Amino acid sequence: FLLRIDKIRIHNITVSETKVIDPVLVREHVQSHISGMYAWVIPKNSVFLLPLVSIHKDIEHNFPYAKTVVVRRVGLQTIAVDITERKGVYLWCVDQTNSDCSFTDYDGYIFSKAPYFSGDVYVRLYGERTTDINGTGNFQNAVSMKNITTLFGLLSTRGFTPVSFQQ
């Protein structure tokens, strides 16, 4: 019953500074993993029984803006969650009406619905994509997306500003 000693139980959850992801929601997700008891006897927040892999997968699944997630124990009473957020570089749009667009990062990963933007705030990508149930997915395979990004970079160095790309 050493696992019940208060000094070796998690009481603090820290979340790295984020711009888009709400740290309160991340803390709630972590808390849901460490609340309660195993077999009505062993506390889930015991520092020795932390489900770090499960917490990591939960955050990755529920927060598509998270590019990298690191969940770690800090001392005997704290869990730290370090998140690096994705940056919306392009917009992937269903069609040229631009009414249904999502943010896409440099790698072509589609991760979040985008509000309507008038003008050319973001380069728009049109074409096929693979997607999962959350609406996240990829615009292109990694090699194609790298080629597209390289092309945009070359055009920019020559004084051209890419506006859109049709697959």
Side-chain angles (χ1 to χ4, degrees):
F1 290 89
L2 294 173
L3 299 175
R4 298 185 75 143
I5 296 173
D6 196 53
K7 289 185 178 183
I8 58 169
R9 292 173 65 184
I10 298 299
H11 296 288
N12 306 306
I13 301 166
T14 64
V15 179
S16 62
E17 188 174 323
T18 56
K19 293 181 181 178
V20 178
I21 297 172
D22 185 349
V24 173
L25 293 177
V26 174
R27 276 189 210 93
E28 288 173 2
H29 275 268
V30 173
Q31 190 64 50
S32 73
H33 285 272
I34 63 170
S35 296
M37 302 276 192
Y38 293 112
W40 301 284
V41 178
I42 302 168
K44 289 185 176 181
N45 68 345
S46 169
V47 73
F48 300 110
L49 301 175
L50 294 176
L52 297 178
V53 172
S54 177
I55 293 168
H56 179 271
K57 288 180 180 177
D58 180 42
I59 293 170
E60 276 187 333
H61 178 76
N62 287 292
F63 298 93
Y65 253 96
K67 184 172 185 169
T68 62
V69 177
V70 176
V71 181
R72 58 191 167 85
R73 184 179 53 137
V74 178
L76 297 176
Q77 296 187 332
T78 302
I79 292 177
V81 181
D82 300 317
I83 298 173
T84 303
E85 293 179 316
R86 296 180 187 281
K87 292 179 177 55
V89 180
Y90 308 117
L91 291 179
W92 177 85
C93 299
V94 173
D95 56 39
Q96 302 241 351
T97 64
N98 299 324
S99 60
D100 185 10
C101 297
S102 299
F103 286 114
T104 305
D105 66 9
Y106 278 113
D107 300 324
Y109 185 76
I110 300 165
F111 59 91
S112 177
K113 285 292 212 187
Y116 175 78
F117 291 99
S118 60
D120 300 324
V121 177
Y122 290 92
V123 174
R124 287 177 168 79
L125 307 173
Y126 304 99
E128 296 295 317
R129 73 169 178 170
T130 57
T131 186
D132 68 12
I133 197 163
N134 295 322
T136 60
N138 288 299
F139 169 72
Q140 291 274 355
N141 66 46
V143 173
S144 295
M145 197 63 214
K146 184 176 180 183
N147 291 339
I148 292 168
T149 303
T150 301
L151 173 64
F152 288 166
L154 289 172
L155 289 171
S156 295
T157 61
R158 302 280 191 256
F160 296 98
T161 304
V163 175
S164 66
F165 178 83
Q166 177 78 41
Q167 180 181 7

